[in-house]
Amino acid sequence: MADPYCVFNSEVLLCLSLLCAVIADDAAFMSKLAEALTPTPSGWSGSSFCDWQGVKCNANRVTSISLASQELTGTLPTNLNSLSQLTSLSLQDNALSGPFPSLSNLSMLQTVFLDGNNFTSVPEGCFQGLTSLQTLSLTDSVNLSPWTIPSELTQSSNLAKLDLGNTNLVGSIPDVFGSFVSLQELRLSYNNLTGALPKSFAGSSITNLWLNNQKGSGLSGSIDVLSEMIHLSQVWLQKNQFTGPIPDLSNCTSLFDLQLRDNRLTGVVPPSLMSLPSLQNISLDMNVLQGPVPSFGEGVQFALDGTNSFCRKDVGPCDVRVTTLLDVAKGFGYPLKLATSWTGNDPCGDWSFVVCAEGKIITVNLAKQNLTGTISPAFANLTDLRNLYLNGNNLEGSIPGGFTNLTELEVLDVSNNNLSGDVPKFSSKVKFNAAGNDLLVRSGGSGGGTTPSNGSGDAPNKSRNAGSSGSSFSSALIVGIVFIAVCFVVVVVLIFKKRHGKFRRVNIQKGRRVQGFEGERDTIPIQVLRRVTNDFSEDKILGRGGFGVVYKGELNDGTRIAVKRMQYSRSSAMGSMGMNEFHAEITFLSKVRHRHLVALLGYCTDDNERLLVYEFMPQGTLTQHLFYWRENGYVPLSWKQRVVIALDVARGVEYLHSLAQQSFIHRDLKPSNILLDDDMRAKVADFGLIKSAPNDVNDSVWTRVAGTFGYMAPEYAATGRVTTKVDVYAFGTVLMELVTGRKALDNTVPEEMSHLVSWFRRILHNMENISMATDQSLNLDEGIMESIYKVAELAGHCTAPEPHQRPDMGHVVNVLVPLVQQWNPTCTHEEEGYDLINENTYYAMSFSEILSGR
Ligand SMILES: *[C@@H]1O[C@H](CO)[C@@H](O)[C@H](O)[C@H]1NC(C)=O
Ligand SMILES: *[C@@H]1O[C@H](CO)[C@@H](O)[C@H](O)[C@H]1NC(C)=O
Ligand SMILES: *[C@@H]1O[C@H](CO)[C@@H](O)[C@H](O)[C@H]1NC(C)=O
Ligand SMILES: *[C@@H]1O[C@H](CO)[C@@H](O)[C@H](O)[C@H]1NC(C)=O
Ligand SMILES: *[C@@H]1O[C@H](CO)[C@@H](O)[C@H](O)[C@H]1NC(C)=O
Ligand SMILES: *[C@@H]1O[C@H](CO)[C@@H](O)[C@H](O)[C@H]1NC(C)=O
Ligand SMILES: *[C@@H]1O[C@H](CO)[C@@H](O)[C@H](O)[C@H]1NC(C)=O
Ligand SMILES: *[C@@H]1O[C@H](CO)[C@@H](O)[C@H](O)[C@H]1NC(C)=O
Ligand SMILES: *[C@@H]1O[C@H](CO)[C@@H](O)[C@H](O)[C@H]1NC(C)=O
Ligand SMILES: *[C@@H]1O[C@H](CO)[C@@H](O)[C@H](O)[C@H]1NC(C)=O
Ligand SMILES: *[C@@H]1O[C@H](CO)[C@@H](O)[C@H](O)[C@H]1NC(C)=O
């Protein structure tokens, strides 16, 4: 008998013969399917499967199965693809389990809904040959073993909707979207996808792109490709690791919903984003976006709060220096490390890589930072720039001609990049290094300062550059530049070198007195120390302490050192006291080493000389920065810096107190014994009064009272009884100084205020007093007041009259840590940037030597 389907088919005979075979197949499969499902779907009885509820046939061939939300369990027969006429399969929201059925070669299949089941795996190749497929939806299959986006789907060139959210996908999104000319919805949220957005997204017809909330490390790389996806209307990329700037989306005129929060996007928000015609809903919070806070039109729902690196909290333009530096960062593609450090509206605050003098940017050092991109002409707007280091990156493009307009420029190092184009002509004042850029064209007769050196990618080599043009510097300038350059390099080293090198000990051991000579001239170490300090000349003095004078010096290998020359003479009482301190310090410092205790590099004894050699701390003492910043031309310490310093000191002292073998008491903690690195990290110095403490905390030792008035705990001053709580008291005093900017003892103010601890403890009774007592140079915004209260309160506890009422240093550290973390929630600040005194020191040192040009 003639089948109505085949009547219209020209090859009736062929059709008939096929039909006989496959009719049997569908019946067999359908009865197998009915058996596999529990409970049996309602209305699935009798042999006429085409009449079963939810089943549609065409000429006895199954074309559609629809069994959504029927609480079905069981495992689908694997040969589901024998239903070769199937166009639609809807089994969503049941509890089907086992492997996913193979759909391969179902060339009529158009829609597949299998969401919300309990499948366990997706067999290889099961989506092969689905040439008619338009919709594949398989969300919320959380028990699937990890699988990857099947590449065979590229055969489904009509695919319009691919929804694989929350299905345990791993790996990257394959770059195959050129094959999906009709794809509109791509939903891959809540998987464990990684890698970058595929390039073939560009030019696609995707309207809904859901890639949010990847569970593992997340999708990464730039989101530039969005700018070429002009059909986009809804983009959910939140909770990934995307980096780089937000592209210009002005061609995405249908975009109404853009969720970008919780990524690592950097750069200035493009103005075009604020004028997108269809935009209704946008989130940008929890990124590292820079520049001005964007403002969106009325009717746009936006989220911006949470971490970002905007220059201000309110809408408004950035400081012009910020704007210029952001242009500079743009040239490099807004790298993350600049975005995390370059926050706020004051580049001279604590921005990495930037050194200022009196609010002017004089040095930018971005040497060896893996930068790519180009050198922005915006550098030419930094009119006070003296030193620019861009060496050792992978920069392309040319050296902007505007650089010749930088009249203050003295050092320009672009060596070891991939620059091209012409070299501008610099004045002879400029030390210019462009070695290691094979494509650079040197239009002969370049400026006199050009160093035709063969760059090694390292810091400029001292011997190579020495003397090339140093004589043209005024000596004041030299000192300034040397200092700044050293500071800068140390900062860079501190922040970005994390290598754990062995401490490089300067080998200045006890000087031997050579028999037969009366003097000390043959003791080599002393000679060295005399030479590097210009025979202890006045202009090398860094400071004076109770027991000696401290000089600065620089060893042959470039190591900068601080030399303490103890006042010592055998006959005087003062001398023997100095001798005790000398030995106390050596004994102590040779036993301990901690990153918040200043390191002893060596020492030297001779008949009339007792010398201690320390690492050099370029920013000097806390006293200078806290009380004499104006006189020294420093920027006042920010609250953040003060809390970090407090924590550093607390950790150093905690370490002293809690040494396993033997615990120590510093006894003379005060700002002049707190030394600062270039990034304002602190180390405790001066262990001349250190005492080893009894192991039982409740015990104490009685000693001759020594220390400094104003910081001395009452019980110690009265009785000489010393416990670790003496240091806690002194630390509390330092905290008060950090809060108020006032010295522990100040005779220039009315008597009732002159003893800081007494006065501060009095006003502490009313928290409202605190804000009036805070250092005028602090910029009080709401965020920091909270933190100031906590520190003020801690200072009160630490200076309690009875030692047992004071916390121990471990507690102090615990109070301070969250205050510091408030600014660095993600980065473990404490672990970063420490091991400076290894070979990196050399790096810093040779710089200073070059620049001094001697
Ligand atoms: C699908 O069809 C191709 C050729 O049309 C064939 O080679 C392949 O074996 C088929 N796959 C299955 C699973 O039937
Ligand atoms: C899904 O399958 C797992 C076993 O693979 C089983 O433990 C779980 O109960 C099932 N969940 C549902 C909702 O059926
Ligand atoms: C994501 O996948 C990686 C391997 O591809 C795996 O190590 C990690 O545990 C997964 N994360 C989650 C949250 O599933
Ligand atoms: C927008 O599209 C036009 C025309 O294709 C193109 O010239 C322009 O560069 C595009 N703009 C962006 C920001 O991609
Ligand atoms: C905007 O998006 C957020 C997050 O997806 C959503 O909670 C909110 O309802 C959306 N608002 C509008 C107006 O669409
Ligand atoms: C530069 O990149 C290399 C390799 O990716 C890495 O090892 C190095 O630490 C990076 N240097 C800096 C300063 O980020
Ligand atoms: C320099 O700054 C001016 C004004 O702030 C600006 O118009 C100009 O574009 C800047 N130049 C460069 C090269 O960025
Ligand atoms: C340098 O400055 C002058 C005047 O200030 C200006 O005319 C010139 O265009 C600048 N050169 C470059 C290359 O920017
Ligand atoms: C240097 O830049 C050129 C283009 O200016 C590029 O072709 C080449 O691959 C680059 N070399 C390196 C090592 O990046
Ligand atoms: C420059 O250094 C390279 C290796 O870094 C060396 O092969 C080359 O000979 C050197 N050129 C000169 C002029 O010293
Ligand atoms: C500096 O140059 C000298 C001599 O040209 C060489 O011996 C030394 O190894 C170089 N040092 C560095 C760090 O390149």
Side-chain angles (χ1 to χ4, degrees):
M1 79 180 204
D3 181 87
Y5 171 73
C6 290
V7 168
F8 304 102
N9 194 312
S10 53
E11 292 174 89
V12 176
L13 277 178
L14 176 61
C15 176
L16 275 173
S17 66
L18 271 175
L19 203 59
C20 298
V22 289
I23 285 174
D25 272 359
D26 277 5
F29 177 82
M30 290 305 283
S31 74
K32 214 159 125 193
L33 179 60
E35 268 169 42
L37 298 175
T38 318
T40 308
S42 59
W44 279 41
S45 55
S47 58
S48 165
F49 58 86
C50 288
D51 297 334
W52 294 354
Q53 200 172 320
V55 176
K56 285 189 187 147
C57 290
N58 189 343
N60 264 343
R61 300 298 317 281
V62 175
T63 57
S64 166
I65 300 177
S66 177
L67 288 173
S69 307
Q70 303 209 359
E71 295 178 355
L72 302 175
T73 60
T75 300
L76 295 174
T78 51
N79 60 333
L80 195 141
N81 59 350
S82 63
L83 300 175
S84 62
Q85 301 298 305
L86 196 65
T87 61
S88 170
L89 179 65
S90 304
L91 298 172
Q92 68 268 36
D93 301 321
N94 286 295
L96 301 172
S97 54
F100 202 75
S102 175
L103 304 175
S104 68
N105 287 358
L106 290 177
S107 59
M108 316 281 270
L109 193 59
Q110 292 175 359
T111 54
V112 177
F113 290 99
L114 293 169
D115 323 58
N117 279 291
N118 199 12
F119 295 114
T120 51
S121 63
V122 181
E124 193 121 330
C126 86
F127 299 106
Q128 241 170 43
L130 302 184
T131 48
S132 302
L133 191 66
Q134 291 168 12
T135 298
L136 174 59
S137 188
L138 175 59
T139 53
D140 301 323
S141 290
V142 289
N143 286 325
L144 278 183
S145 51
W147 61 307
T148 55
I149 297 178
S151 56
E152 70 262 24
L153 274 177
T154 53
Q155 296 161 8
S156 310
S157 53
N158 295 318
L159 197 64
K161 181 176 170 185
L162 180 61
D163 194 346
L164 304 177
N166 200 16
T167 56
N168 241 340
L169 281 172
V170 296
S172 58
I173 305 176
D175 194 4
V176 294
F177 290 82
S179 311
F180 302 123
V181 291
S182 312
L183 189 64
Q184 296 197 336
E185 293 185 20
L186 180 63
R187 304 188 177 188
L188 302 172
S189 314
Y190 294 95
N191 282 298
N192 188 357
L193 294 171
T194 52
L197 297 181
K199 290 197 176 66
S200 55
F201 271 175
S204 77
S205 51
I206 296 175
T207 58
N208 298 68
L209 181 64
W210 292 11
L211 303 176
N212 52 295
N213 294 76
Q214 297 304 320
K215 291 169 181 169
S217 55
L219 293 163
S220 55
S222 101
I223 59 168
D224 284 349
V225 73
L226 295 184
S227 71
E228 295 174 73
M229 301 174 74
I230 60 173
H231 300 287
L232 286 173
S233 61
Q234 188 172 47
V235 176
W236 290 2
L237 299 183
Q238 67 267 27
K239 264 200 162 290
N240 278 293
Q241 298 277 327
F242 289 113
T243 51
I246 300 174
D248 183 344
L249 299 177
S250 48
N251 282 344
C252 306
T253 50
S254 313
L255 189 60
F256 74 90
D257 187 9
L258 179 61
Q259 304 295 325
L260 297 177
R261 67 169 181 275
D262 223 331
N263 278 289
R264 304 166 83 193
L265 297 172
T266 56
V268 176
V269 177
S272 62
L273 191 65
M274 301 168 221
S275 51
L276 270 187
S278 308
L279 196 64
Q280 287 172 15
N281 200 345
I282 181 167
S283 68
L284 300 174
D285 44 325
M286 312 289 280
N287 278 294
V288 209
L289 295 167
Q290 298 160 282
V293 174
S295 66
F296 294 93
E298 250 177 67
V300 179
Q301 183 176 337
F302 59 91
L304 293 169
D305 331 344
T307 50
N308 263 312
S309 293
F310 295 130
C311 64
R312 300 161 45 153
K313 294 210 161 105
D314 51 346
V315 174
C318 301
D319 185 284
V320 61
R321 295 165 303 167
V322 173
T323 307
T324 303
L325 285 173
L326 290 181
D327 278 346
V328 162
K330 184 181 186 177
F332 308 134
Y334 294 116
L336 192 59
K337 72 176 97 177
L338 294 189
T340 50
S341 161
W342 290 6
T343 78
N345 214 6
D346 180 11
C348 297
D350 51 3
W351 286 25
S352 305
F353 314 109
V354 176
V355 179
C356 296
E358 291 162 356
K360 295 172 176 168
I361 296 166
I362 57 167
T363 297
V364 173
N365 187 340
L366 287 163
K368 294 183 170 183
Q369 295 301 328
N370 285 348
L371 297 175
T372 56
T374 58
I375 303 178
S376 169
F379 272 117
N381 268 353
L382 297 172
T383 48
D384 303 298
L385 197 63
R386 294 184 201 157
N387 308 290
L388 177 55
Y389 298 96
L390 296 170
N391 47 302
N393 288 298
N394 197 13
L395 301 172
E396 294 187 352
S398 59
I399 303 170
F403 277 24
T404 53
N405 277 1
L406 288 169
T407 52
E408 304 296 318
L409 194 65
E410 282 154 9
V411 178
L412 175 58
D413 192 342
V414 295
S415 56
N416 298 301
N417 278 292
N418 191 10
L419 298 169
S420 52
D422 287 333
V423 174
K425 279 191 187 174
F426 293 103
S427 80
S428 58
K429 190 179 80 166
V430 179
K431 281 194 176 186
F432 174 64
N433 186 357
N437 287 285
D438 296 340
L439 304 173
L440 263 189
V441 181
R442 273 155 211 273
S443 40
S446 51
T450 305
T451 318
S453 58
N454 197 355
S456 63
D458 286 329
N461 187 323
K462 169 194 163 199
S463 43
R464 195 166 63 213
N465 290 268
S468 61
S469 67
S471 52
S472 66
F473 292 75
S474 81
S475 60
L477 214 49
I478 292 169
V479 172
I481 295 165
V482 167
F483 184 74
I484 287 151
V486 168
C487 294
F488 194 83
V489 172
V490 173
V491 169
V492 170
V493 164
L494 272 169
I495 296 172
F496 287 101
K497 295 276 176 170
K498 290 194 231 163
R499 263 181 276 160
H500 293 259
K502 239 201 135 92
F503 195 89
R504 192 161 61 109
R505 269 197 155 230
V506 179
N507 225 352
I508 310 167
Q509 291 302 326
K510 188 175 155 130
R512 269 171 300 115
R513 186 159 169 226
V514 178
Q515 294 280 325
F517 288 84
E518 42 167 353
E520 294 68 46
R521 55 200 159 94
D522 293 312
T523 50
I524 297 157
I526 261 284
Q527 280 184 333
V528 170
L529 296 182
R530 277 192 192 289
R531 186 163 49 73
V532 302
T533 58
N534 274 353
D535 204 10
F536 303 112
S537 76
E538 282 285 319
D539 64 336
K540 294 275 183 183
I541 292 181
L542 281 172
R544 292 170 205 271
F547 302 108
V549 181
V550 183
Y551 301 84
K552 68 181 162 194
E554 187 172 320
L555 299 178
N556 273 351
D557 67 354
T559 312
R560 298 193 89 189
I561 55 175
V563 181
K564 180 150 90 178
R565 190 189 196 191
M566 309 295 277
Q567 274 162 16
Y568 167 70
S569 133
R570 289 193 159 189
S571 47
S572 78
M574 185 62 195
S576 74
M577 191 165 160
M579 195 61 200
N580 291 340
E581 323 315 341
F582 180 74
H583 283 300
E585 190 136 8
I586 292 173
T587 316
F588 170 70
L589 280 175
S590 50
K591 278 183 199 153
V592 305
R593 178 133 300 145
H594 186 266
R595 61 175 162 235
H596 296 305
L597 302 180
V598 78
L600 183 70
L601 301 177
Y603 61 94
C604 176
T605 65
D606 224 299
D607 262 3
N608 293 316
E609 292 285 3
R610 296 289 179 270
L611 300 167
L612 292 165
V613 182
Y614 303 95
E615 63 177 305
F616 179 68
M617 297 290 285
Q619 287 292 339
T621 67
L622 178 58
T623 307
Q624 290 164 329
H625 284 270
L626 197 52
F627 307 127
Y628 301 105
W629 54 271
R630 262 192 210 89
E631 293 84 337
N632 285 300
Y634 296 136
V635 178
L637 292 171
S638 69
W639 179 247
K640 172 179 170 182
Q641 287 173 321
R642 293 177 201 219
V643 181
V644 170
I645 289 169
L647 177 57
D648 287 349
V649 172
R651 286 193 199 272
V653 177
E654 181 198 24
Y655 172 80
L656 289 182
H657 289 181
S658 59
L659 281 177
Q661 299 297 319
Q662 197 179 12
S663 146
F664 290 91
I665 304 166
H666 186 286
R667 287 205 297 166
D668 201 11
L669 199 59
K670 55 182 176 180
S672 59
N673 284 339
I674 295 169
L675 302 184
L676 297 171
D677 267 345
D678 263 314
D679 59 348
M680 292 296 163
R681 301 301 300 259
K683 297 190 189 205
V684 177
D686 209 325
F687 304 97
L689 294 183
I690 198 115
K691 269 271 174 271
S692 98
N695 278 331
D696 184 346
V697 216
N698 295 318
D699 262 351
S700 51
V701 286
W702 275 264
T703 76
R704 181 169 46 85
V705 173
T708 305
F709 290 114
Y711 303 88
M712 231 182 272
E715 78 280 3
Y716 175 52
T719 67
R721 179 168 174 264
V722 55
T723 64
T724 53
K725 296 298 175 71
V726 165
D727 285 344
V728 177
Y729 184 94
F731 181 79
T733 312
V734 174
L735 287 183
M736 291 177 183
E737 295 181 309
L738 287 169
V739 170
T740 60
R742 294 189 40 213
K743 290 191 258 180
L745 273 185
D746 185 355
N747 297 324
T748 66
V749 297
E751 207 174 302
E752 70 273 15
M753 293 176 70
S754 70
H755 182 223
L756 180 63
V757 174
S758 317
W759 174 74
F760 194 89
R761 288 181 61 82
R762 271 200 307 277
I763 66 159
L764 201 53
H765 291 308
N766 184 353
M767 273 296 173
E768 273 162 29
N769 290 334
I770 304 290
S771 59
M772 282 180 288
T774 49
D775 192 340
Q776 305 268 308
S777 73
L778 282 174
N779 178 14
L780 303 181
D781 56 42
E782 281 170 39
I784 77 166
M785 223 39 237
E786 189 79 358
S787 172
I788 290 177
Y789 288 145
K790 295 215 169 94
V791 171
E793 205 181 344
L794 180 62
H797 289 308
C798 289
T799 53
E802 294 295 329
H804 68 85
Q805 296 170 320
R806 298 173 207 149
D808 56 29
M809 286 316 279
H811 176 82
V812 170
V813 167
N814 288 341
V815 173
L816 291 172
V817 162
L819 300 184
V820 167
Q821 273 171 352
Q822 181 185 340
W823 290 290
N824 301 311
T826 49
C827 98
T828 52
H829 206 91
E830 191 54 24
E831 304 319 317
E832 281 188 24
Y834 274 99
D835 304 281
L836 103 131
I837 312 106
N838 45 36
E839 72 274 19
N840 299 326
T841 311
Y842 171 78
Y843 180 66
M845 297 327 153
S846 44
F847 245 126
S848 69
E849 287 181 334
I850 310 146
L851 291 166
S852 65
R854 281 192 263 259

